[in-house]
Amino acid sequence: MAENDNDDEKSSLLQDVGLLVFLSLFSATAILMALTGNILLNVIYLFCTIMLLMITYFFGILPSLISNIVFIAIQAVIMIYQYVSQTARIPWQLSFWMVIPMLLSLALYSMTKNQVALQKSNGELRTALIERGAFDEQTNLRTTVAYIEDIAVFAETNRRFDIPVTTAIIKIRYFNDLRRMMSPNQTKLLLKLTTDSIKEKTRTNDITYLLNSDDPTWAILLYTDNKGAGIATGRIKEGFEKNVKANDSLSRMAISMVVGIASWDSSTMKTPYDLMNAGIHETQYDV
């Protein structure tokens, strides 16, 4: 643990130093551009430097170093050509562009490499979750795989601390009939609107899932009893109806929710599927 803390401190210090060096170099570049006075070449080299910085950020240090070397070589060729042909006076005062871009690239890399690594790690984790079927890419919700795993955790909490655990199953009434009347865009819109309505009205410790995207079925796990879950789903229904009426594309259709609520009962329920199936069964009685 101490080693990890030291590594984090070193990384943070490296980022701070990189930021200071980066700002100092850019300030020095601005001053040198003003002093040298060759506006056209300075502007061209500045745009080239910005491209090199973008390569550093998006592709890493090795492509950046290669690009910087190519940039230096191009400047050297131009100067040699001017010297040999004597077609123009060699702008020696602009030679700082051979050094500054590489220094800026190194400073940017030291400042952002941890951030880029974190973005890459998050992307890999997201991909892994999608591949495992635990995460729905379209709605950013967990799926049945995660729901079943989480019920086991909630049930254990119920056993150890006697905290009520309830699931709410949410579906769209007569969805198959509605789908035949809706365009693909309207179907996607309804899926998103329902997901947003559920997220909008749930607490931060209530977890929402998408169990089925073909016959859209959402689930929520809550640390509450049936009464508390009824209040929560009542808020969701009200918010959903308001959002549907406010949407021009969906407001003309008879769209409503059905909700089934079931609480974990350790005496009759043995597996997470028992709770899920009980909630789905209860949706039949929501009129």
Side-chain angles (χ1 to χ4, degrees), residues 28-57:
T29 303
I31 294 171
L32 290 170
M33 287 177 65
L35 293 176
T36 52
N38 196 321
I39 298 176
L40 179 60
L41 280 177
N42 272 318
V43 170
I44 293 173
Y45 288 164
L46 178 62
F47 276 107
C48 291
T49 301
I50 292 173
M51 290 183 64
L52 291 171
L53 293 177
M54 292 175 66
I55 291 172
T56 303
Y57 183 81

Short mmCIF file of all heavy atoms in Angstrom, two decimals, residues 28-57:
data_model
loop_
_atom_site.label_atom_id
_atom_site.label_comp_id
_atom_site.label_asym_id
_atom_site.label_seq_id
_atom_site.Cartn_x
_atom_site.Cartn_y
_atom_site.Cartn_z
N ALA A 28 8.41 30.78 -23.54
CA ALA A 28 9.68 31.06 -24.22
C ALA A 28 9.49 31.08 -25.73
O ALA A 28 10.07 31.92 -26.45
CB ALA A 28 10.72 30.02 -23.83
N THR A 29 8.66 30.18 -26.24
CA THR A 29 8.39 30.14 -27.67
C THR A 29 7.72 31.43 -28.14
O THR A 29 8.07 31.99 -29.19
CB THR A 29 7.48 28.93 -28.02
OG1 THR A 29 8.10 27.72 -27.57
CG2 THR A 29 7.22 28.85 -29.50
N ALA A 30 6.74 31.90 -27.36
CA ALA A 30 6.05 33.15 -27.72
C ALA A 30 7.02 34.33 -27.76
O ALA A 30 6.97 35.17 -28.68
CB ALA A 30 4.93 33.42 -26.72
N ILE A 31 7.94 34.36 -26.80
CA ILE A 31 8.92 35.46 -26.75
C ILE A 31 9.87 35.38 -27.95
O ILE A 31 10.15 36.39 -28.61
CB ILE A 31 9.71 35.40 -25.43
CG1 ILE A 31 8.77 35.69 -24.25
CG2 ILE A 31 10.87 36.38 -25.45
CD1 ILE A 31 9.41 35.46 -22.89
N LEU A 32 10.35 34.17 -28.25
CA LEU A 32 11.28 33.99 -29.37
C LEU A 32 10.60 34.31 -30.70
O LEU A 32 11.23 34.88 -31.60
CB LEU A 32 11.82 32.57 -29.37
CG LEU A 32 12.79 32.22 -28.22
CD1 LEU A 32 13.07 30.73 -28.19
CD2 LEU A 32 14.09 33.02 -28.39
N MET A 33 9.34 33.95 -30.84
CA MET A 33 8.61 34.28 -32.07
C MET A 33 8.50 35.80 -32.25
O MET A 33 8.63 36.31 -33.36
CB MET A 33 7.21 33.65 -32.02
CG MET A 33 7.18 32.15 -32.22
SD MET A 33 5.51 31.44 -32.08
CE MET A 33 4.70 32.21 -33.50
N ALA A 34 8.28 36.50 -31.15
CA ALA A 34 8.17 37.96 -31.22
C ALA A 34 9.51 38.61 -31.56
O ALA A 34 9.57 39.58 -32.32
CB ALA A 34 7.64 38.50 -29.90
N LEU A 35 10.60 38.04 -31.03
CA LEU A 35 11.92 38.63 -31.24
C LEU A 35 12.46 38.37 -32.63
O LEU A 35 13.12 39.22 -33.23
CB LEU A 35 12.91 38.09 -30.19
CG LEU A 35 12.65 38.52 -28.74
CD1 LEU A 35 13.63 37.84 -27.80
CD2 LEU A 35 12.76 40.04 -28.60
N THR A 36 12.20 37.17 -33.16
CA THR A 36 12.75 36.81 -34.47
C THR A 36 12.05 37.53 -35.61
O THR A 36 12.67 37.84 -36.63
CB THR A 36 12.68 35.29 -34.71
OG1 THR A 36 11.33 34.85 -34.46
CG2 THR A 36 13.61 34.56 -33.74
N GLY A 37 10.76 37.75 -35.49
CA GLY A 37 10.05 38.59 -36.43
C GLY A 37 9.67 37.99 -37.76
O GLY A 37 8.94 38.60 -38.53
N ASN A 38 10.13 36.79 -38.09
CA ASN A 38 9.76 36.16 -39.36
C ASN A 38 8.38 35.53 -39.20
O ASN A 38 8.24 34.36 -38.83
CB ASN A 38 10.80 35.10 -39.75
CG ASN A 38 10.70 34.71 -41.21
OD1 ASN A 38 9.61 34.59 -41.75
ND2 ASN A 38 11.86 34.52 -41.84
N ILE A 39 7.34 36.29 -39.49
CA ILE A 39 5.98 35.89 -39.16
C ILE A 39 5.55 34.64 -39.89
O ILE A 39 5.00 33.70 -39.30
CB ILE A 39 5.00 37.05 -39.46
CG1 ILE A 39 5.34 38.27 -38.59
CG2 ILE A 39 3.56 36.61 -39.21
CD1 ILE A 39 4.49 39.49 -38.89
N LEU A 40 5.81 34.57 -41.21
CA LEU A 40 5.32 33.45 -42.01
C LEU A 40 5.92 32.12 -41.54
O LEU A 40 5.18 31.16 -41.26
CB LEU A 40 5.65 33.67 -43.48
CG LEU A 40 5.21 32.54 -44.43
CD1 LEU A 40 3.69 32.35 -44.36
CD2 LEU A 40 5.65 32.84 -45.86
N LEU A 41 7.25 32.06 -41.43
CA LEU A 41 7.89 30.82 -40.99
C LEU A 41 7.52 30.47 -39.56
O LEU A 41 7.32 29.30 -39.22
CB LEU A 41 9.41 30.93 -41.13
CG LEU A 41 9.97 30.72 -42.54
CD1 LEU A 41 11.47 30.93 -42.56
CD2 LEU A 41 9.62 29.33 -43.06
N ASN A 42 7.42 31.47 -38.70
CA ASN A 42 7.04 31.22 -37.31
C ASN A 42 5.65 30.60 -37.22
O ASN A 42 5.42 29.66 -36.45
CB ASN A 42 7.08 32.52 -36.49
CG ASN A 42 8.46 32.79 -35.91
OD1 ASN A 42 9.11 31.88 -35.41
ND2 ASN A 42 8.90 34.03 -35.98
N VAL A 43 4.73 31.12 -38.01
CA VAL A 43 3.36 30.58 -38.00
C VAL A 43 3.35 29.15 -38.53
O VAL A 43 2.68 28.27 -37.96
CB VAL A 43 2.42 31.48 -38.82
CG1 VAL A 43 1.06 30.80 -39.01
CG2 VAL A 43 2.24 32.82 -38.13
N ILE A 44 4.08 28.90 -39.61
CA ILE A 44 4.15 27.54 -40.18
C ILE A 44 4.74 26.57 -39.16
O ILE A 44 4.20 25.48 -38.93
CB ILE A 44 4.99 27.54 -41.47
CG1 ILE A 44 4.25 28.32 -42.56
CG2 ILE A 44 5.26 26.10 -41.93
CD1 ILE A 44 5.08 28.52 -43.83
N TYR A 45 5.84 26.96 -38.54
CA TYR A 45 6.48 26.09 -37.56
C TYR A 45 5.60 25.89 -36.32
O TYR A 45 5.61 24.83 -35.70
CB TYR A 45 7.85 26.65 -37.14
CG TYR A 45 8.90 26.55 -38.22
CD1 TYR A 45 10.08 27.30 -38.15
CD2 TYR A 45 8.73 25.71 -39.30
CE1 TYR A 45 11.06 27.20 -39.13
CE2 TYR A 45 9.70 25.61 -40.30
CZ TYR A 45 10.86 26.36 -40.20
OH TYR A 45 11.82 26.25 -41.18
N LEU A 46 4.83 26.93 -35.98
CA LEU A 46 3.93 26.81 -34.83
C LEU A 46 2.85 25.76 -35.11
O LEU A 46 2.55 24.92 -34.25
CB LEU A 46 3.29 28.15 -34.51
CG LEU A 46 2.28 28.16 -33.35
CD1 LEU A 46 2.95 27.75 -32.04
CD2 LEU A 46 1.63 29.53 -33.21
N PHE A 47 2.28 25.80 -36.30
CA PHE A 47 1.26 24.80 -36.65
C PHE A 47 1.86 23.40 -36.70
O PHE A 47 1.23 22.42 -36.29
CB PHE A 47 0.61 25.16 -37.99
CG PHE A 47 -0.51 26.16 -37.88
CD1 PHE A 47 -0.34 27.47 -38.31
CD2 PHE A 47 -1.73 25.80 -37.31
CE1 PHE A 47 -1.36 28.40 -38.18
CE2 PHE A 47 -2.77 26.72 -37.19
CZ PHE A 47 -2.58 28.03 -37.62
N CYS A 48 3.08 23.29 -37.20
CA CYS A 48 3.76 21.99 -37.21
C CYS A 48 3.97 21.49 -35.79
O CYS A 48 3.81 20.29 -35.50
CB CYS A 48 5.10 22.10 -37.93
SG CYS A 48 4.97 22.38 -39.71
N THR A 49 4.33 22.40 -34.88
CA THR A 49 4.54 22.02 -33.48
C THR A 49 3.25 21.54 -32.84
O THR A 49 3.23 20.56 -32.09
CB THR A 49 5.10 23.21 -32.69
OG1 THR A 49 6.34 23.64 -33.28
CG2 THR A 49 5.33 22.85 -31.23
N ILE A 50 2.14 22.22 -33.14
CA ILE A 50 0.83 21.79 -32.61
C ILE A 50 0.48 20.39 -33.11
O ILE A 50 -0.02 19.54 -32.35
CB ILE A 50 -0.26 22.80 -33.00
CG1 ILE A 50 -0.02 24.13 -32.28
CG2 ILE A 50 -1.65 22.26 -32.66
CD1 ILE A 50 -0.94 25.25 -32.72
N MET A 51 0.79 20.11 -34.38
CA MET A 51 0.55 18.77 -34.92
C MET A 51 1.41 17.74 -34.19
O MET A 51 0.95 16.63 -33.88
CB MET A 51 0.83 18.75 -36.42
CG MET A 51 -0.19 19.52 -37.24
SD MET A 51 0.14 19.41 -39.02
CE MET A 51 -0.09 17.65 -39.28
N LEU A 52 2.65 18.09 -33.90
CA LEU A 52 3.53 17.17 -33.17
C LEU A 52 3.00 16.91 -31.76
O LEU A 52 3.07 15.78 -31.25
CB LEU A 52 4.94 17.76 -33.09
CG LEU A 52 5.71 17.84 -34.41
CD1 LEU A 52 7.00 18.63 -34.23
CD2 LEU A 52 6.02 16.44 -34.93
N LEU A 53 2.44 17.92 -31.13
CA LEU A 53 1.86 17.75 -29.80
C LEU A 53 0.63 16.84 -29.85
O LEU A 53 0.40 16.02 -28.94
CB LEU A 53 1.50 19.11 -29.20
CG LEU A 53 2.67 20.04 -28.88
CD1 LEU A 53 2.17 21.38 -28.35
CD2 LEU A 53 3.62 19.41 -27.85
N MET A 54 -0.16 16.98 -30.90
CA MET A 54 -1.33 16.11 -31.05
C MET A 54 -0.89 14.66 -31.27
O MET A 54 -1.49 13.72 -30.72
CB MET A 54 -2.18 16.58 -32.23
CG MET A 54 -2.85 17.92 -32.00
SD MET A 54 -3.73 18.55 -33.45
CE MET A 54 -5.02 17.32 -33.61
N ILE A 55 0.18 14.46 -32.04
CA ILE A 55 0.72 13.11 -32.22
C ILE A 55 1.19 12.55 -30.89
O ILE A 55 0.97 11.38 -30.56
CB ILE A 55 1.87 13.13 -33.25
CG1 ILE A 55 1.32 13.44 -34.64
CG2 ILE A 55 2.62 11.80 -33.26
CD1 ILE A 55 2.39 13.68 -35.69
N THR A 56 1.84 13.37 -30.08
CA THR A 56 2.32 12.94 -28.77
C THR A 56 1.17 12.49 -27.88
O THR A 56 1.24 11.45 -27.23
CB THR A 56 3.08 14.09 -28.07
OG1 THR A 56 4.14 14.53 -28.91
CG2 THR A 56 3.64 13.63 -26.72
N TYR A 57 0.10 13.27 -27.88
CA TYR A 57 -1.03 12.97 -26.99
C TYR A 57 -1.78 11.72 -27.43
O TYR A 57 -2.13 10.87 -26.61
CB TYR A 57 -1.99 14.17 -26.94
CG TYR A 57 -3.14 13.97 -26.00
CD1 TYR A 57 -2.98 14.18 -24.63
CD2 TYR A 57 -4.39 13.55 -26.46
CE1 TYR A 57 -4.04 13.99 -23.75
CE2 TYR A 57 -5.44 13.34 -25.58
CZ TYR A 57 -5.27 13.57 -24.23
OH TYR A 57 -6.30 13.35 -23.37
#
